[in-house]
Coordinates of all heavy atoms in Angstrom, one line a residue:
M1 N 0.8 -1.2 0.0 CA 0.0 0.0 0.0 C 1.0 1.2 0.0 O 1.7 1.4 0.9 CB -0.9 0.0 1.2 CG -1.5 1.3 1.4 SD -2.8 1.4 2.7 CE -3.9 0.3 2.0
R2 N 0.7 2.1 -1.0 CA 1.5 3.3 -1.1 C 1.0 4.4 -0.4 O -0.4 4.7 -0.5 CB 1.7 3.6 -2.6 CG 2.5 2.5 -3.2 CD 3.0 2.8 -4.6 NE 4.2 3.7 -4.4 CZ 4.6 4.5 -5.4 NH1 4.1 4.5 -6.5 NH2 5.7 5.2 -5.2
T3 N 1.7 5.3 0.2 CA 1.3 6.5 0.8 C 2.0 7.7 0.1 O 3.2 7.7 -0.1 CB 1.7 6.4 2.4 OG1 1.0 5.3 2.9 CG2 1.4 7.7 3.0
L4 N 1.1 8.8 -0.1 CA 1.7 10.0 -0.6 C 1.6 11.0 0.4 O 0.7 11.1 1.1 CB 0.9 10.5 -1.9 CG 1.4 11.8 -2.5 CD1 2.7 11.7 -3.0 CD2 0.4 12.2 -3.6
V5 N 2.7 11.7 0.7 CA 2.8 12.9 1.7 C 3.0 14.2 0.9 O 3.8 14.4 0.1 CB 4.1 12.6 2.6 CG1 4.2 13.8 3.5 CG2 4.0 11.3 3.3
L6 N 2.0 15.1 1.2 CA 2.0 16.4 0.6 C 2.2 17.4 1.7 O 1.5 17.5 2.7 CB 0.7 16.7 0.0 CG 0.5 18.1 -0.5 CD1 1.6 18.6 -1.5 CD2 -1.0 18.4 -1.0
G7 N 3.4 18.1 1.7 CA 3.8 19.1 2.7 C 4.4 20.2 2.1 O 5.2 20.1 1.1
R8 N 4.2 21.4 2.5 CA 4.8 22.6 1.8 C 6.3 22.8 2.3 O 6.9 23.5 1.5 CB 4.0 23.7 2.4 CG 2.6 23.8 1.8 CD 2.6 23.9 0.3 NE 1.3 24.1 -0.2 CZ 0.7 23.3 -1.0 NH1 1.2 22.3 -1.5 NH2 -0.6 23.6 -1.3
T9 N 6.8 22.1 3.3 CA 8.2 22.3 3.7 C 9.0 21.0 3.3 O 8.8 20.0 3.9 CB 8.3 22.6 5.3 OG1 7.4 23.6 5.6 CG2 9.8 22.9 5.6
P10 N 9.8 21.2 2.2 CA 10.4 19.9 1.8 C 11.3 19.2 2.8 O 11.3 18.0 2.9 CB 11.4 20.5 0.6 CG 10.7 21.7 0.1 CD 10.0 22.3 1.4
A11 N 11.9 20.0 3.7 CA 12.7 19.3 4.8 C 11.8 18.4 5.7 O 12.2 17.4 6.1 CB 13.4 20.3 5.6
R12 N 10.7 18.8 6.0 CA 9.7 18.0 6.8 C 9.2 16.9 6.0 O 9.0 15.8 6.7 CB 8.6 19.0 7.3 CG 9.0 19.9 8.4 CD 7.9 20.6 9.1 NE 8.4 21.5 10.1 CZ 7.6 22.2 10.9 NH1 6.3 22.1 10.7 NH2 8.2 23.0 11.8
V13 N 8.9 17.1 4.8 CA 8.5 15.9 3.9 C 9.5 14.9 3.9 O 9.3 13.6 4.1 CB 8.1 16.4 2.6 CG1 7.9 15.1 1.6 CG2 7.0 17.4 2.5
T14 N 10.8 15.3 3.8 CA 11.8 14.4 3.8 C 12.0 13.6 5.1 O 12.2 12.4 5.1 CB 13.2 15.1 3.6 OG1 13.1 15.7 2.3 CG2 14.4 14.2 3.6
E15 N 11.7 14.3 6.2 CA 11.8 13.6 7.6 C 10.7 12.6 7.7 O 10.9 11.6 8.3 CB 11.8 14.7 8.7 CG 13.1 15.5 8.8 CD 13.1 16.4 10.0 OE1 13.0 15.8 11.1 OE2 13.4 17.5 9.9
V16 N 9.5 13.0 7.3 CA 8.4 12.2 7.4 C 8.6 10.9 6.5 O 8.4 9.7 7.0 CB 7.0 12.8 6.9 CG1 5.9 11.8 6.8 CG2 6.7 13.9 7.9
L17 N 9.2 11.0 5.3 CA 9.5 9.9 4.5 C 10.5 9.0 5.0 O 10.4 7.8 5.0 CB 9.8 10.5 3.1 CG 8.8 11.1 2.2 CD1 9.4 11.6 1.0 CD2 7.7 10.1 1.9
A18 N 11.5 9.6 5.7 CA 12.6 8.8 6.3 C 12.0 7.9 7.4 O 12.4 6.7 7.4 CB 13.7 9.7 6.8
T19 N 11.2 8.4 8.2 CA 10.6 7.7 9.2 C 9.7 6.5 8.6 O 9.8 5.3 9.1 CB 9.8 8.5 10.1 OG1 10.7 9.5 10.8 CG2 9.1 7.7 11.3
L20 N 8.8 7.0 7.8 CA 7.8 6.0 7.2 C 8.7 4.8 6.5 O 8.4 3.6 6.8 CB 6.9 6.6 6.2 CG 5.9 7.5 6.7 CD1 5.0 8.2 5.7 CD2 4.9 6.7 7.7
R21 N 9.6 5.2 5.7 CA 10.4 4.1 4.9 C 11.3 3.2 5.9 O 11.4 2.1 5.7 CB 11.4 4.8 4.0 CG 10.5 5.4 2.8 CD 11.4 6.2 1.9 NE 10.7 6.7 0.7 CZ 11.1 7.7 0.1 NH1 12.2 8.3 0.2 NH2 10.3 8.2 -1.0
A22 N 11.8 3.9 7.0 CA 12.6 3.2 8.0 C 11.6 2.1 8.7 O 12.1 1.0 9.1 CB 13.2 4.1 9.0
D23 N 10.3 2.3 8.7 CA 9.5 1.4 9.4 C 8.6 0.6 8.5 O 7.8 0.0 8.8 CB 8.4 2.3 10.2 CG 9.0 3.0 11.4 OD1 10.2 2.7 11.8 OD2 8.4 3.9 12.0
G24 N 9.2 0.6 7.2 CA 8.7 -0.4 6.2 C 7.5 0.1 5.3 O 6.9 -0.8 4.6
F25 N 7.3 1.3 5.4 CA 6.0 1.9 4.6 C 6.6 2.3 3.2 O 7.7 2.8 3.0 CB 5.4 3.0 5.3 CG 4.7 2.6 6.5 CD1 5.3 2.6 7.7 CD2 3.4 2.1 6.4 CE1 4.6 2.2 8.8 CE2 2.7 1.7 7.6 CZ 3.3 1.7 8.8
D26 N 5.9 2.1 2.2 CA 6.1 2.6 0.7 C 5.5 3.9 0.7 O 4.3 4.1 0.6 CB 5.4 1.6 -0.2 CG 5.8 1.9 -1.6 OD1 6.5 2.9 -1.9 OD2 5.2 1.2 -2.6
A27 N 6.4 4.9 0.7 CA 5.9 6.3 0.7 C 6.7 7.2 -0.3 O 7.9 7.0 -0.4 CB 6.0 6.9 2.0
E28 N 5.9 8.2 -0.8 CA 6.6 9.2 -1.6 C 6.1 10.5 -1.1 O 5.1 10.7 -0.5 CB 6.1 9.1 -3.1 CG 6.5 7.9 -3.8 CD 8.0 7.8 -4.0 OE1 8.6 8.8 -4.3 OE2 8.5 6.7 -3.9
G29 N 6.8 11.6 -1.4 CA 6.5 12.9 -0.9 C 6.7 14.0 -1.9 O 7.6 13.9 -2.7
V30 N 5.8 15.0 -1.9 CA 5.9 16.2 -2.7 C 5.6 17.4 -2.0 O 5.0 17.4 -0.9 CB 5.0 16.0 -3.9 CG1 5.4 14.9 -4.8 CG2 3.5 15.9 -3.5
S31 N 5.9 18.6 -2.5 CA 5.6 19.9 -1.9 C 4.6 20.7 -2.6 O 4.2 21.8 -2.1 CB 6.9 20.6 -1.7 OG 7.7 19.9 -0.8
T32 N 4.2 20.3 -3.8 CA 3.2 21.1 -4.5 C 2.0 20.3 -4.9 O 2.1 19.1 -5.0 CB 3.9 21.7 -5.8 OG1 4.0 20.7 -6.8 CG2 5.2 22.5 -5.6
D33 N 1.0 21.1 -5.1 CA -0.4 20.4 -5.5 C -0.2 19.7 -6.9 O -0.7 18.7 -7.1 CB -1.5 21.4 -5.5 CG -1.8 21.9 -4.1 OD1 -1.2 21.5 -3.1 OD2 -2.7 22.8 -4.1
D34 N 0.5 20.4 -7.8 CA 0.7 19.8 -9.1 C 1.4 18.5 -9.1 O 1.0 17.6 -9.8 CB 1.4 20.8 -10.1 CG 0.5 22.0 -10.5 OD1 -0.6 21.9 -10.4 OD2 1.2 23.0 -10.9
E35 N 2.5 18.5 -8.3 CA 3.2 17.2 -8.1 C 2.3 16.2 -7.5 O 2.3 14.9 -7.9 CB 4.4 17.4 -7.2 CG 5.5 18.3 -7.8 CD 6.6 18.6 -6.7 OE1 6.2 19.0 -5.7 OE2 7.8 18.3 -7.0
A36 N 1.6 16.5 -6.5 CA 0.6 15.6 -5.9 C -0.4 15.0 -6.9 O -0.6 13.8 -6.9 CB 0.0 16.2 -4.7
R37 N -1.0 15.9 -7.7 CA -2.0 15.5 -8.7 C -1.4 14.4 -9.6 O -2.0 13.5 -10.1 CB -2.5 16.7 -9.4 CG -3.6 17.4 -8.6 CD -4.2 18.4 -9.5 NE -5.2 19.3 -8.6 CZ -4.8 20.4 -8.0 NH1 -3.6 20.9 -8.2 NH2 -5.6 21.0 -7.3
K38 N -0.2 14.8 -10.1 CA 0.4 13.8 -11.1 C 0.7 12.5 -10.6 O 0.4 11.5 -11.2 CB 1.8 14.4 -11.5 CG 1.6 15.6 -12.5 CD 3.0 16.1 -12.9 CE 2.9 17.3 -13.7 NZ 4.0 18.2 -13.9
L39 N 1.1 12.4 -9.3 CA 1.3 11.1 -8.6 C -0.1 10.4 -8.4 O -0.3 9.2 -8.5 CB 2.1 11.1 -7.4 CG 3.5 11.4 -7.6 CD1 4.2 11.7 -6.4 CD2 4.2 10.3 -8.4
L40 N -1.1 11.2 -7.9 CA -2.4 10.7 -7.6 C -3.1 10.1 -8.8 O -3.8 9.2 -8.8 CB -3.4 11.6 -6.9 CG -2.8 12.0 -5.5 CD1 -3.6 13.2 -5.0 CD2 -3.1 10.8 -4.5
E41 N -2.8 10.7 -10.0 CA -3.4 10.3 -11.3 C -3.0 8.8 -11.6 O -3.7 8.1 -12.3 CB -3.0 11.2 -12.4 CG -3.8 12.5 -12.4 CD -3.4 13.5 -13.5 OE1 -2.2 13.3 -14.1 OE2 -4.1 14.3 -13.8
T42 N -1.9 8.4 -11.1 CA -1.4 6.9 -11.3 C -2.4 6.0 -10.7 O -2.3 4.8 -11.0 CB 0.0 6.8 -10.9 OG1 0.1 6.8 -9.4 CG2 1.0 7.8 -11.5
E43 N -3.1 6.4 -9.7 CA -4.0 5.6 -8.9 C -3.2 4.5 -8.1 O -3.8 3.5 -7.9 CB -5.2 5.0 -9.7 CG -6.0 6.1 -10.3 CD -7.3 5.7 -10.7 OE1 -7.6 4.5 -10.9 OE2 -8.1 6.7 -11.1
E44 N -2.0 4.8 -7.8 CA -1.1 3.8 -7.1 C -1.1 4.1 -5.5 O -0.6 3.3 -4.8 CB 0.3 3.9 -7.5 CG 0.5 3.4 -9.0 CD 1.9 3.5 -9.5 OE1 2.7 3.9 -8.7 OE2 2.1 3.4 -10.7
F45 N -1.7 5.2 -5.1 CA -1.7 5.6 -3.8 C -3.0 5.3 -3.0 O -4.0 5.8 -3.5 CB -1.3 7.1 -3.7 CG 0.2 7.3 -4.1 CD1 0.4 7.5 -5.4 CD2 1.1 7.2 -3.2 CE1 1.7 7.8 -5.9 CE2 2.5 7.4 -3.7 CZ 2.7 7.7 -5.0
A46 N -3.0 4.7 -1.9 CA -4.2 4.3 -1.1 C -4.4 5.3 0.1 O -5.5 5.5 0.5 CB -4.2 2.9 -0.6
V47 N -3.3 6.0 0.5 CA -3.3 6.9 1.6 C -2.6 8.2 1.3 O -1.5 8.2 0.5 CB -2.5 6.3 2.8 CG1 -2.5 7.3 4.0 CG2 -3.2 5.0 3.3
L48 N -3.2 9.4 1.6 CA -2.7 10.7 1.3 C -2.5 11.4 2.7 O -3.5 11.4 3.4 CB -3.6 11.4 0.4 CG -3.3 13.0 0.3 CD1 -1.9 13.1 -0.4 CD2 -4.3 13.6 -0.5
I49 N -1.4 11.9 3.0 CA -1.1 12.6 4.2 C -1.0 14.1 3.7 O -0.1 14.4 2.9 CB 0.1 12.2 5.0 CG1 -0.1 10.7 5.5 CG2 0.4 13.1 6.1 CD1 1.2 10.2 6.1
V50 N -1.8 14.9 4.3 CA -1.7 16.3 4.0 C -1.2 17.2 5.1 O -1.8 17.1 6.1 CB -3.1 16.9 3.5 CG1 -3.0 18.3 3.0 CG2 -3.8 16.1 2.4
G51 N -0.1 17.8 5.0 CA 0.6 18.6 6.1 C -0.2 19.8 6.4 O -1.0 20.3 5.7
G52 N 0.1 20.2 7.6 CA -0.6 21.4 8.2 C -0.3 22.7 7.4 O -1.2 23.6 7.6
G53 N 0.7 22.8 6.6 CA 1.0 24.1 6.0 C 0.2 24.2 4.7 O 0.2 25.3 4.0
V54 N -0.5 23.2 4.2 CA -1.4 23.2 3.0 C -2.6 24.0 3.4 O -3.4 23.6 4.3 CB -1.7 21.8 2.5 CG1 -2.6 21.8 1.3 CG2 -0.4 21.0 2.2
G55 N -2.8 25.1 2.7 CA -4.0 25.9 3.0 C -5.3 25.3 2.8 O -5.4 24.2 2.0
P56 N -6.3 25.9 3.2 CA -7.7 25.3 3.2 C -8.3 25.1 1.8 O -8.8 24.0 1.6 CB -8.6 26.3 3.8 CG -7.8 27.3 4.6 CD -6.4 27.1 4.1
D57 N -8.0 26.0 0.9 CA -8.5 25.8 -0.5 C -7.8 24.6 -1.2 O -8.3 23.7 -1.8 CB -8.3 27.0 -1.3 CG -9.2 28.2 -0.8 OD1 -10.3 27.8 -0.1 OD2 -9.0 29.3 -1.2
S58 N -6.4 24.7 -1.1 CA -5.6 23.6 -1.6 C -6.0 22.2 -1.0 O -6.1 21.2 -1.7 CB -4.1 23.8 -1.5 OG -3.7 24.8 -2.3
R59 N -6.1 22.2 0.4 CA -6.5 21.0 1.1 C -7.7 20.4 0.6 O -7.8 19.2 0.3 CB -6.6 21.4 2.5 CG -6.8 20.1 3.4 CD -7.0 20.7 4.9 NE -5.6 21.1 5.3 CZ -4.6 20.5 5.7 NH1 -4.7 19.1 5.9 NH2 -3.6 21.0 6.0
A60 N -8.8 21.3 0.5 CA -10.1 20.8 0.0 C -10.0 20.2 -1.5 O -10.5 19.1 -1.8 CB -11.1 21.9 0.0
A61 N -9.3 21.0 -2.4 CA -9.2 20.5 -3.8 C -8.4 19.2 -3.9 O -8.9 18.3 -4.6 CB -8.5 21.6 -4.6
I62 N -7.4 19.1 -3.1 CA -6.5 17.9 -3.2 C -7.2 16.7 -2.7 O -7.1 15.6 -3.1 CB -5.1 18.0 -2.6 CG1 -4.1 17.1 -3.3 CG2 -5.1 17.9 -1.2 CD1 -3.8 17.4 -4.7
K63 N -8.0 16.9 -1.6 CA -8.8 15.8 -1.0 C -9.9 15.3 -2.0 O -10.1 14.0 -2.1 CB -9.5 16.3 0.3 CG -8.5 16.2 1.5 CD -9.4 16.7 2.6 CE -8.5 16.7 3.9 NZ -9.3 17.0 5.1
E64 N -10.5 16.2 -2.8 CA -11.5 15.9 -3.7 C -10.8 15.2 -4.9 O -11.4 14.1 -5.3 CB -12.2 17.1 -4.2 CG -13.3 16.8 -5.2 CD -14.0 18.1 -5.7 OE1 -14.1 19.0 -4.9 OE2 -14.4 18.1 -6.9
F65 N -9.7 15.6 -5.3 CA -9.0 14.9 -6.4 C -8.5 13.5 -5.9 O -8.7 12.6 -6.7 CB -7.7 15.8 -6.8 CG -7.1 15.4 -8.0 CD1 -7.5 15.8 -9.2 CD2 -6.0 14.5 -7.9 CE1 -6.9 15.4 -10.4 CE2 -5.3 14.1 -9.1 CZ -5.8 14.5 -10.3
A66 N -8.1 13.4 -4.7 CA -7.6 12.1 -4.2 C -8.8 11.1 -4.2 O -8.6 10.0 -4.6 CB -7.0 12.2 -2.8
A67 N -10.0 11.6 -3.7 CA -11.2 10.6 -3.7 C -11.5 10.1 -5.1 O -12.1 9.1 -5.2 CB -12.3 11.4 -3.1
E68 N -11.2 11.0 -6.1 CA -11.6 10.5 -7.5 C -10.4 9.5 -8.0 O -10.7 9.0 -9.1 CB -11.7 11.7 -8.4 CG -12.8 12.6 -8.0 CD -12.7 14.0 -8.7 OE1 -11.8 14.2 -9.5 OE2 -13.6 14.9 -8.5
H69 N -9.4 9.3 -7.3 CA -8.3 8.6 -7.9 C -7.9 7.4 -6.8 O -6.8 7.2 -6.7 CB -7.1 9.5 -8.2 CG -7.4 10.3 -9.4 ND1 -8.0 11.5 -9.3 CD2 -7.1 10.1 -10.7 CE1 -8.2 12.0 -10.5 NE2 -7.7 11.2 -11.3
R70 N -8.9 6.7 -6.3 CA -8.7 5.6 -5.5 C -8.0 5.7 -4.2 O -7.7 4.7 -3.6 CB -7.9 4.5 -6.3 CG -8.8 4.1 -7.5 CD -8.2 3.0 -8.4 NE -7.6 2.0 -7.5 CZ -7.1 0.9 -7.8 NH1 -7.0 0.6 -9.2 NH2 -6.6 -0.1 -7.1
V71 N -7.8 6.9 -3.7 CA -7.3 7.0 -2.4 C -8.5 6.7 -1.4 O -9.4 7.3 -1.4 CB -6.7 8.5 -2.1 CG1 -6.4 8.8 -0.7 CG2 -5.6 8.8 -3.0
R72 N -8.0 5.8 -0.5 CA -9.0 5.3 0.6 C -9.0 6.1 1.9 O -10.0 6.1 2.6 CB -8.9 3.9 0.9 CG -9.2 3.0 -0.4 CD -9.4 1.6 -0.1 NE -8.1 1.0 0.6 CZ -7.1 0.5 -0.2 NH1 -7.1 0.5 -1.4 NH2 -6.1 0.0 0.4
R73 N -7.9 6.7 2.1 CA -7.7 7.4 3.5 C -6.9 8.6 3.2 O -5.8 8.6 2.7 CB -7.0 6.5 4.5 CG -6.7 7.0 5.8 CD -7.8 7.4 6.8 NE -8.6 6.1 7.0 CZ -8.4 5.4 8.1 NH1 -7.6 5.7 9.0 NH2 -9.3 4.4 8.3
V74 N -7.5 9.7 3.8 CA -6.8 11.0 3.8 C -6.5 11.4 5.3 O -7.3 11.3 6.1 CB -7.5 12.2 3.1 CG1 -6.7 13.5 3.3 CG2 -7.8 11.9 1.7
I75 N -5.2 11.7 5.5 CA -4.8 12.0 6.9 C -4.4 13.4 7.0 O -3.5 13.8 6.2 CB -3.6 11.1 7.4 CG1 -4.1 9.6 7.3 CG2 -3.2 11.4 8.8 CD1 -2.9 8.6 7.5
D76 N -5.0 14.2 7.9 CA -4.5 15.6 8.1 C -3.4 15.6 9.2 O -3.6 14.9 10.2 CB -5.7 16.5 8.5 CG -6.7 16.7 7.4 OD1 -6.2 17.2 6.3 OD2 -7.9 16.4 7.6
G77 N -2.4 16.2 8.8 CA -1.2 16.2 9.7 C -0.8 17.6 10.0 O -1.0 18.6 9.3
A78 N -0.2 17.8 11.2 CA 0.4 19.1 11.7 C 1.5 18.6 12.6 O 1.3 18.5 13.8 CB -0.6 20.0 12.4
L79 N 2.6 18.4 12.0 CA 3.8 17.9 12.7 C 4.2 18.7 13.8 O 4.2 19.9 13.9 CB 5.1 17.8 11.8 CG 5.0 16.8 10.6 CD1 6.3 16.9 9.8 CD2 4.9 15.4 11.3
T80 N 4.6 17.9 14.9 CA 5.2 18.5 16.1 C 6.4 17.6 16.4 O 6.6 16.5 16.0 CB 4.3 18.4 17.4 OG1 3.8 17.0 17.6 CG2 3.0 19.3 17.1
E81 N 7.4 18.3 17.1 CA 8.7 17.6 17.3 C 8.5 16.7 18.6 O 7.7 17.0 19.4 CB 9.7 18.6 17.5 CG 10.1 19.4 16.2 CD 11.3 20.2 16.3 OE1 12.3 19.8 16.9 OE2 11.2 21.4 15.8
P82 N 9.2 15.6 18.6 CA 10.1 15.1 17.5 C 9.2 14.5 16.4 O 8.3 13.8 16.7 CB 11.0 14.1 18.3 CG 10.1 13.6 19.4 CD 9.3 14.8 19.9
F83 N 9.7 14.8 15.2 CA 8.8 14.4 14.0 C 8.7 12.9 13.9 O 7.6 12.4 13.5 CB 9.5 15.0 12.7 CG 9.4 16.5 12.7 CD1 10.4 17.2 12.1 CD2 8.4 17.2 13.3 CE1 10.6 18.6 12.1 CE2 8.4 18.6 13.2 CZ 9.5 19.3 12.6
D84 N 9.8 12.1 14.2 CA 9.7 10.7 14.0 C 8.6 10.2 15.0 O 7.9 9.2 14.6 CB 10.9 10.1 14.1 CG 11.6 10.3 15.5 OD1 11.4 11.2 16.2 OD2 12.5 9.4 15.8
A85 N 8.5 10.5 16.2 CA 7.6 10.1 17.1 C 6.3 10.5 16.7 O 5.3 9.6 16.9 CB 8.0 10.7 18.6
Y86 N 6.1 11.7 16.2 CA 4.8 12.1 15.8 C 4.2 11.2 14.6 O 3.1 10.7 14.6 CB 4.7 13.5 15.3 CG 3.4 14.1 14.8 CD1 2.6 14.7 15.8 CD2 3.0 13.8 13.5 CE1 1.3 15.1 15.4 CE2 1.8 14.4 13.1 CZ 0.9 14.9 14.0 OH -0.4 15.4 13.7
V87 N 5.2 10.9 13.6 CA 4.8 10.0 12.5 C 4.3 8.7 13.1 O 3.4 8.2 12.6 CB 5.9 10.0 11.5 CG1 5.7 8.8 10.5 CG2 6.1 11.3 10.9
R88 N 5.1 8.2 14.0 CA 4.8 6.8 14.5 C 3.6 6.8 15.3 O 2.8 5.8 15.2 CB 6.0 6.3 15.3 CG 7.2 5.9 14.4 CD 8.4 5.4 15.2 NE 9.4 5.0 14.2 CZ 10.6 5.6 14.2 NH1 11.0 6.5 15.0 NH2 11.4 5.2 13.2
R89 N 3.3 7.8 16.0 CA 2.1 7.9 16.8 C 0.8 8.2 16.1 O -0.3 7.7 16.3 CB 2.3 8.9 18.0 CG 1.1 9.0 19.0 CD 1.3 10.0 20.0 NE 1.5 11.4 19.4 CZ 2.5 12.3 19.3 NH1 3.7 11.8 19.8 NH2 2.4 13.4 18.8
E90 N 0.9 9.2 15.1 CA -0.2 9.7 14.4 C -0.6 9.2 13.1 O -1.6 8.9 12.7 CB -0.2 11.3 14.4 CG 0.0 11.9 15.8 CD -1.3 11.9 16.6 OE1 -2.3 11.7 16.1 OE2 -1.1 11.8 17.8
F91 N 0.5 9.0 12.3 CA 0.4 8.5 10.9 C 0.3 7.0 10.7 O -0.6 6.5 10.0 CB 1.3 9.1 10.0 CG 1.3 10.5 9.9 CD1 2.5 11.3 9.4 CD2 0.2 11.4 10.2 CE1 2.5 12.7 9.4 CE2 0.2 12.8 10.1 CZ 1.4 13.4 9.7
E92 N 1.3 6.4 11.3 CA 1.5 4.9 11.0 C 0.3 4.1 11.4 O -0.1 3.1 10.7 CB 2.8 4.4 11.7 CG 4.0 5.0 10.8 CD 5.4 4.5 11.3 OE1 5.4 3.5 12.2 OE2 6.4 4.9 10.8
P93 N -0.4 4.3 12.6 CA -1.5 3.5 12.9 C -2.7 3.7 11.9 O -3.4 2.7 11.6 CB -2.0 4.0 14.3 CG -0.8 4.6 14.8 CD 0.1 5.2 13.7
L94 N -2.8 4.9 11.4 CA -3.8 5.1 10.4 C -3.6 4.5 9.0 O -4.5 3.9 8.3 CB -4.1 6.5 10.3 CG -4.7 7.3 11.5 CD1 -4.8 8.7 11.2 CD2 -6.0 6.7 11.9
I95 N -2.3 4.4 8.7 CA -1.9 3.7 7.5 C -2.1 2.3 7.6 O -2.7 1.5 6.7 CB -0.4 4.1 7.1 CG1 -0.2 5.5 6.8 CG2 -0.1 3.2 5.9 CD1 1.2 6.0 6.7
R96 N -1.7 1.7 8.8 CA -2.0 0.3 9.0 C -3.4 -0.1 8.9 O -3.9 -1.1 8.4 CB -1.4 -0.2 10.3 CG 0.1 -0.3 10.3 CD 0.7 -1.0 11.6 NE 2.1 -0.7 11.7 CZ 2.7 0.2 12.3 NH1 2.1 1.1 12.9 NH2 4.1 0.3 12.3
E97 N -4.3 0.7 9.5 CA -5.7 0.6 9.5 C -6.3 0.6 8.1 O -7.1 -0.3 7.7 CB -6.3 1.7 10.4 CG -7.9 1.6 10.7 CD -8.3 2.7 11.4 OE1 -8.0 2.8 12.6 OE2 -9.0 3.5 10.9
A98 N -5.8 1.5 7.3 CA -6.3 1.5 5.9 C -5.8 0.3 5.1 O -6.6 -0.4 4.4 CB -5.7 2.8 5.1
A99 N -4.6 -0.3 5.4 CA -4.1 -1.5 4.7 C -5.0 -2.6 5.2 O -5.2 -3.5 4.4 CB -2.6 -1.7 5.2
A100 N -5.4 -2.7 6.5 CA -6.2 -3.8 7.0 C -7.6 -3.9 6.3 O -8.2 -4.9 6.3 CB -6.3 -3.7 8.4
E101 N -8.0 -2.8 5.8 CA -9.4 -2.7 5.1 C -9.3 -3.2 3.7 O -10.4 -3.3 3.1 CB -9.9 -1.3 5.1 CG -10.1 -0.7 6.6 CD -10.3 0.8 6.6 OE1 -10.3 1.5 5.5 OE2 -10.6 1.3 7.7
E102 N -8.1 -3.5 3.1 CA -8.1 -4.0 1.8 C -8.7 -5.3 1.6 O -8.7 -6.1 2.4 CB -6.6 -4.0 1.4 CG -6.0 -2.7 1.0 CD -4.7 -2.9 0.3 OE1 -3.8 -3.8 0.7 OE2 -4.4 -2.2 -0.7

């Protein structure tokens, strides 16, 4: 099950990806809506994580787009430090839950 991370701060996206990948998750990350749309169009992603820096209009539009492209779970995130602990506590259980629903 692939996860797409959309966050406005590339360094934070990189940190989230590092944790997810270290824990065995298949994840990609981007910082723009256009990049996210291109990847979502492949319909290879079942989970989308949207970072706290993504504004309300972009957030709503990308969620709607994701729903049209086989994304089963959208997770809203607002990272707090330490980032790895946040990812493990907040994101990973929801990704596992979505995977169990397959």
Side-chain angles (χ1 to χ4, degrees):
M1 164 169 301
R2 298 191 77 197
T3 297
L4 179 62
V5 178
L6 171 61
R8 294 295 188 240
T9 307
R12 287 191 178 179
V13 171
T14 298
E15 289 190 54
V16 170
L17 292 176
T19 300
L20 290 173
R21 290 173 179 161
D23 293 348
F25 293 92
D26 182 5
E28 295 295 324
V30 295
S31 294
T32 70
D33 294 355
D34 287 342
E35 292 172 307
R37 281 189 188 92
K38 284 178 186 168
L39 288 175
L40 291 170
E41 283 176 340
T42 67
E43 299 194 352
E44 294 177 8
F45 295 88
V47 176
L48 170 65
I49 297 172
V50 183
V54 177
D57 291 342
S58 289
R59 181 178 299 274
I62 206 73
K63 284 182 175 184
E64 183 178 326
F65 190 85
E68 296 168 359
H69 291 86
R70 298 182 43 175
V71 171
R72 291 193 303 274
R73 172 71 59 95
V74 177
I75 302 169
D76 288 305
L79 286 178
T80 57
E81 293 190 42
F83 298 142
D84 61 338
Y86 183 91
V87 168
R88 289 183 175 114
R89 181 181 69 246
E90 300 295 329
F91 297 159
E92 291 184 4
L94 295 175
I95 296 169
R96 283 189 191 96
E97 187 178 288
E101 295 169 0
E102 283 191 317

